[in-house]
Amino acid sequence: MIARKGTILFTSESVTEGHPDKIADQISDAILDALLEQDENSRVACETMVTTGMAFIAGEVTTKGYADLPSIVRNTIKKIGYDSSTMGFDWETCAVMSSLDKQSADISQGVDKTRPEEQGAGDQGMMFGFACDETPELMPAPIYYAHKLSKRLTDVRKQNILSFLRPDGKTQLSFEYKDGKPTKIHNIVVSTQHDAETSQATIKEGIIEEVIRKVLPAEYIAHNPEIFINATGNFVIGGPMGDCGLTGRKIIQDTYGGAGYHGGGAFSGKDASKVDRSGAYMARYIAKNLVATGLVPRCEVQIAYCIGVSEPVSLYVTSHQTSEIPDEVLTKAVREVFDLRPYYITQRLKLQRPIFSKTTCYGHFGRSEPEFTWEQCDAVEELKKHL
């Protein structure tokens, strides 16, 4: 939690779509989308591991649909840009292995009920949502701009603006805060895979001009922050060849970059009956709408569930003392405005659509694409009435 008094540094990181863990996330969500497209009631918990020359799929799936796993895996890797063994991964030649079982009957009996609105939570756990007024999308500034750097790093590679770049990469920003407000960027870290021929001087110059200066607001970097680019001096070996990738291993950069709490559950490869995903999306939706009222500069929402039970077992909403409205009043208003049972979350946010591949990279939150229904601020007026 970012301190409200004094001067501090706060850091968040992001990774590109070519990072091994993000390759795994994208494959898992591509499989989920393929099944939801055929059967919106698919129950999917799909995990992926990628390593040198191989992708392994495992999990539990109950569906009327069919997923051509080798084709989905290869097409996903191709879109990312791993098309040569010189990059450490090749979509045409990598092996694809799988081990998928049906969802446990012990779980499904708690989720599937006679009346849809009585649908129980797919697991126990607590989910958090967060929003603040630091950026236009009501996200913390460090993770918001770290994602923009990562996305730009990918764009200049795919558009061949910087032809020496390869898919794997990371970005990191340390913001200076004064009395709870971001004032400037203290340092910038960019690590990016590249070809073996280009000099580090050329790489550094290209990234500063085509990535950093094209993305970060001038007022945040006017004082010339310290910049680290490929600090080891070389990043040729990347992707799954350089590091094994697993689904769900980037949960902090998927959410708020550490600025808010996290319940521990990953998102990718899970359908909406898993409250790890749907509950976290709903918590973000609530927090963002509360901040959008203009009455709550900073908001965090916790929802907790018991497996097989539809109503949440607890709800907590806090402004972290940034609002004159007491936390108990915020919590009461949320209870009155939103139905937090899994069925109604799924219906309100339209989470049975095959939209999840778009969420995988550059954050599940702080996005403006129309598929991201949990980012809409359509409950503001109703919340104002209750506040």
Side-chain angles (χ1 to χ4, degrees):
M1 181 52 56
I2 297 171
R4 308 301 301 169
K5 299 291 185 180
T7 301
I8 63 161
L9 296 181
F10 192 86
T11 303
S12 295
E13 74 156 357
S14 174
V15 301
T16 67
E17 60 198 57
H19 187 280
D21 294 332
K22 275 297 152 199
I23 299 172
D25 283 346
Q26 287 168 92
I27 291 171
S28 292
D29 271 338
I31 292 169
L32 170 63
D33 280 352
L35 295 173
L36 288 176
E37 195 167 12
Q38 302 165 67
D39 177 8
E40 67 176 17
N41 295 311
S42 295
R43 296 284 183 260
V44 182
C46 180
E47 315 295 338
T48 302
M49 181 188 78
V50 292
T51 187
T52 305
M54 184 175 71
F56 190 90
I57 318 299
E60 299 78 44
V61 174
T62 299
T63 181
K64 297 177 183 177
Y66 168 75
D68 183 349
L69 296 183
S71 293
I72 292 172
V73 170
R74 295 183 191 284
N75 286 336
T76 302
I77 296 169
K78 182 181 180 181
K79 288 178 184 177
I80 295 169
Y82 283 109
D83 56 8
S84 169
S85 59
T86 61
M87 296 185 189
F89 213 45
D90 184 354
W91 69 272
E92 290 187 289
T93 61
C94 70
V96 180
M97 304 174 67
S98 63
S99 177
L100 294 175
D101 294 313
K102 290 183 178 180
Q103 185 182 61
S104 163
D106 293 343
I107 296 176
S108 61
Q109 70 179 351
V111 176
D112 298 321
K113 301 293 181 70
T114 303
R115 298 173 60 192
E117 60 270 25
E118 295 176 350
Q119 174 188 327
D123 202 352
Q124 70 178 49
M126 64 284 191
M127 299 84 218
F128 290 90
F130 184 81
C132 60
D133 59 4
E134 295 176 13
T135 61
E137 296 297 335
L138 305 185
M139 287 287 286
I143 189 64
Y144 180 78
Y145 289 109
H147 282 321
K148 285 193 171 295
L149 282 178
S150 288
K151 181 62 166 62
R152 178 64 181 173
L153 202 57
T154 295
D155 290 344
V156 297
R157 170 178 62 86
K158 289 187 170 181
Q159 296 168 17
N160 209 33
I161 296 171
L162 298 178
S163 59
F164 52 80
L165 293 181
R166 297 293 180 261
D168 197 355
K170 286 185 173 184
T171 65
Q172 181 175 288
L173 290 175
S174 296
F175 263 80
E176 182 180 283
Y177 281 75
K178 288 187 178 180
D179 298 331
K181 297 293 184 182
T183 56
K184 64 181 180 180
I185 294 172
H186 188 269
N187 59 68
I188 303 165
V189 180
V190 178
S191 299
T192 179
Q193 187 184 12
H194 57 87
D195 63 26
E197 293 75 33
T198 306
S199 70
Q200 289 299 315
T202 300
I203 294 169
K204 185 173 183 177
E205 180 184 1
I207 290 174
I208 289 173
E209 294 304 319
E210 293 295 338
V211 178
I212 293 174
R213 296 195 185 281
K214 293 291 177 67
V215 166
L216 300 180
E219 62 268 25
Y220 284 144
I221 58 174
H223 62 292
N224 295 320
E226 193 170 14
I227 298 175
F228 302 91
I229 296 176
N230 286 1
T232 66
N234 217 34
F235 190 177
V236 174
I237 301 171
M241 185 177 180
D243 186 17
C244 177
L246 295 170
T247 298
R249 209 160 59 173
K250 286 290 176 283
I251 60 175
I252 298 302
Q253 74 115 54
D254 280 347
T255 51
Y256 309 103
Y261 290 111
H262 198 296
F267 300 156
S268 292
K270 297 177 182 177
D271 71 272
S273 70
K274 281 73 172 174
V275 285
D276 276 345
R277 186 168 214 161
S278 55
Y281 284 8
M282 189 65 179
R284 161 65 178 172
Y285 174 63
I286 294 168
K288 185 173 183 180
N289 274 270
L290 280 167
V291 173
T293 64
L295 303 172
V296 189
R298 192 176 193 87
C299 183
E300 190 152 43
V301 176
Q302 185 202 53
I303 313 171
Y305 290 93
C306 171
I307 188 169
V309 178
S310 59
E311 290 284 354
V313 295
S314 77
L315 171 68
Y316 174 54
V317 184
T318 178
S319 72
H320 293 295
Q321 300 180 336
T322 62
S323 173
E324 295 181 1
I325 302 172
D327 289 351
E328 55 266 36
V329 174
L330 295 174
T331 303
K332 184 174 183 292
V334 168
R335 286 190 181 278
E336 293 172 346
V337 172
F338 302 99
D339 194 322
L340 301 179
R341 288 176 287 178
Y343 171 79
Y344 289 100
I345 292 175
T346 300
Q347 296 305 306
R348 182 161 191 156
L349 302 183
K350 302 176 183 178
L351 297 180
Q352 289 177 300
R353 299 167 296 152
I355 59 168
F356 296 106
S357 292
K358 290 188 176 182
T359 69
T360 311
C361 299
Y362 315 114
H364 291 250
F365 309 128
R367 307 279 291 274
S368 58
E369 296 91 326
E371 292 87 354
F372 289 65
T373 49
W374 50 94
E375 291 295 309
Q376 295 175 359
C377 295
D378 53 5
V380 169
E381 295 307 316
E382 193 173 0
L383 281 168
K384 282 183 176 179
K385 292 177 184 177
H386 286 80
L387 293 175

